[in-house]
């Protein structure tokens, strides 16, 4: 059986925690910060985790994660 390929676009966006959760970056933290509240800018610095249904799709894209 040949080796499975990793979706490189997914590999650049997602990573796995030690307990198996899928970690992602928060959206809306690239530009246009002047119109956003400080609390939102601070909140979007931290990582977020995918929900179960989305995480299952990412696990298929990252078979060796």
């Amino acid at each position: 059986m040949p080796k499975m390929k990793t979706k490189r676009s997914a590999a650049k966006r997602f990573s796995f925690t030690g307990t198996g959760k899928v970690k992602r970056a928060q959206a809306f933290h690239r530009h246009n910060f002047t119109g956003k509240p400080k609390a939102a800018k601070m909140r979007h610095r931290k990582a977020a985790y995918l929900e179960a249904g989305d995480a299952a799709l990412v696990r298929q894209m990252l078979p060796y994660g």
Side-chain angles (χ1 to χ4, degrees):
M1 178 129 181
K3 288 195 267 187
M4 295 175 69
K5 283 195 171 182
T6 296
K7 289 278 187 183
R8 297 309 298 162
S9 58
K12 294 167 187 175
R13 288 169 172 81
F14 304 107
S15 62
F16 293 97
T17 64
T19 57
K21 293 180 187 174
V22 182
K23 192 166 64 167
R24 66 170 174 87
Q26 285 278 8
F28 305 109
H29 195 70
R30 290 288 180 195
H31 52 78
N32 296 339
F33 291 120
T34 54
K36 294 175 186 162
K38 183 179 179 184
K41 290 187 277 190
M42 291 168 58
R43 187 169 59 244
H44 292 162
R45 285 180 206 153
K46 297 180 180 177
Y49 301 100
L50 290 183
E51 297 298 327
D54 297 325
L57 296 172
V58 171
R59 284 194 183 89
Q60 287 181 350
M61 292 187 259
L62 303 174
Y64 302 108

